[in-house]
Amino acid sequence: MKTIKSPDEMQRVALDLKRAGKTIGFVPTMGFLHEGHLSLMKLARTRCDVLVVSIFVNPTQFGPAEDLDAYPRDFERDEFLCAQQGVDLIFYPEPGAMYSADSSVWVDEEALSGVLCGASRPGHFRGVCTVVAKLFNLVQPDLAVFGEKDAQQLRVIERMVRDLNFPVEIVRGPIVREPDGLAMSSRNKYLSEEQRRHALCLRRSLDLITSSVSKGTRNVSSLRKSMVDLIGEIPGAEIDYIEFVADDSLKPVLEVADRTLVALAVKFGKTRLIDNTVLVV
Ligand code: PAF
């Protein structure tokens, strides 16, 4: 396994690999890897000759009041975990190498980015799309794997790839959960023991409505209310949003239909956690 820090070198190596007829699989990450990331690597590993993982805490997707500086980092541990997954190349650029001081071109997705996380994190998806477009140009992947936990990110990236004709297959990686149901996230590390217990309310509220839907309930306001009631009982849990939207357009729905996406974000102190499920009826 090799680590490349320079964007130019990454692109040169990737183009050489393509010329040699190799397929490149790619898992973009912000590091501090957990089982969720490793599952994306496992998925990519089975489908490519060369597996590239990027580790880059992308400053442009963080708002001014967000956790960019505090975002957890541990490159040595990440390197070890990547080696265990059979990663061939780690791309680990310095922030200064990825963005020129006078960068002035951005990728802005305009239909799906304004709702859910985009409503509470203005500019977030512009930062995500821009860095992912840059990473695709540098890594030249045939396929890239994104986790379903970040449901909106996945759909925004799929839209970017479709609308800008990136020759990259986007592969969806299922959510990986702790044994008690909490979706894996690098941000779980911020939770106190008590908040960690309380954080189970995200998954519980999704289970609750999944069960109501399986028994025939379709009315979104009553389903949403049962989630609000469940989470409202948890001390310190502050709902950022709970939304029922159409899976493809992310437009709100009033009645649950097949493939309604239910997504929520809940804050525990400064830590904001997200989770989601797609309802099948
Ligand atoms: O999901 C993430 O970790 C990031 O948003 C990504 C896709 C690596 C872009 O910085």
Side-chain angles (χ1 to χ4, degrees), residues 210-272:
T210 302
S211 147
S212 306
V213 168
S214 74
K215 291 181 194 134
T217 312
R218 297 287 179 270
N219 181 270
V220 163
S221 67
S222 83
L223 291 165
R224 189 174 182 285
K225 180 171 183 312
S226 62
M227 293 176 77
V228 170
D229 290 346
L230 186 150
I231 297 169
E233 281 178 14
I234 306 298
E238 191 194 321
I239 297 172
D240 180 10
Y241 66 78
I242 298 176
E243 299 286 349
F244 289 66
V245 296
D247 186 38
D248 47 356
S249 67
L250 302 188
K251 293 225 162 77
V253 296
L254 299 175
E255 294 282 311
V256 168
D258 199 27
R259 299 203 62 77
T260 293
L261 170 69
V262 189
L264 74 164
V266 179
K267 279 176 88 172
F268 297 88
K270 285 186 173 160
T271 308
R272 184 174 167 283

Side-chain angles (χ1 to χ4, degrees), residues 67 181-183 185 187-205 227-228 230-242 264-275:
D67 56 345
L182 182 67
S185 164
R187 290 191 168 96
N188 292 349
K189 178 190 152 57
Y190 298 145
L191 300 169
S192 68
E193 221 172 280
E194 191 183 43
Q195 288 172 328
R196 168 69 185 73
R197 267 196 320 277
H198 290 159
L200 295 177
C201 70
L202 280 88
R203 168 64 186 266
R204 289 210 182 114
S205 72
M227 293 176 77
V228 170
L230 186 150
I231 297 169
E233 281 178 14
I234 306 298
E238 191 194 321
I239 297 172
D240 180 10
Y241 66 78
I242 298 176
L264 74 164
V266 179
K267 279 176 88 172
F268 297 88
K270 285 186 173 160
T271 308
R272 184 174 167 283
L273 301 180
I274 58 173
D275 205 341

Side-chain angles (χ1 to χ4, degrees), residues 28-30 37 54 56 58 61 71 124 128 131-132 135 146 150 153:
T29 80
M30 297 207 300
H37 297 112
S54 63
F56 179 59
N58 171 38
Q61 69 191 73
Y71 197 83
H124 170 69
V128 170
V131 81
V132 170
L135 289 167
F146 289 82
D150 295 302
Q153 167 171 284

Side-chain angles (χ1 to χ4, degrees), residues 50-63:
V50 179
L51 176 54
V52 181
V53 169
S54 63
I55 296 178
F56 179 59
V57 183
N58 171 38
T60 65
Q61 69 191 73
F62 287 80

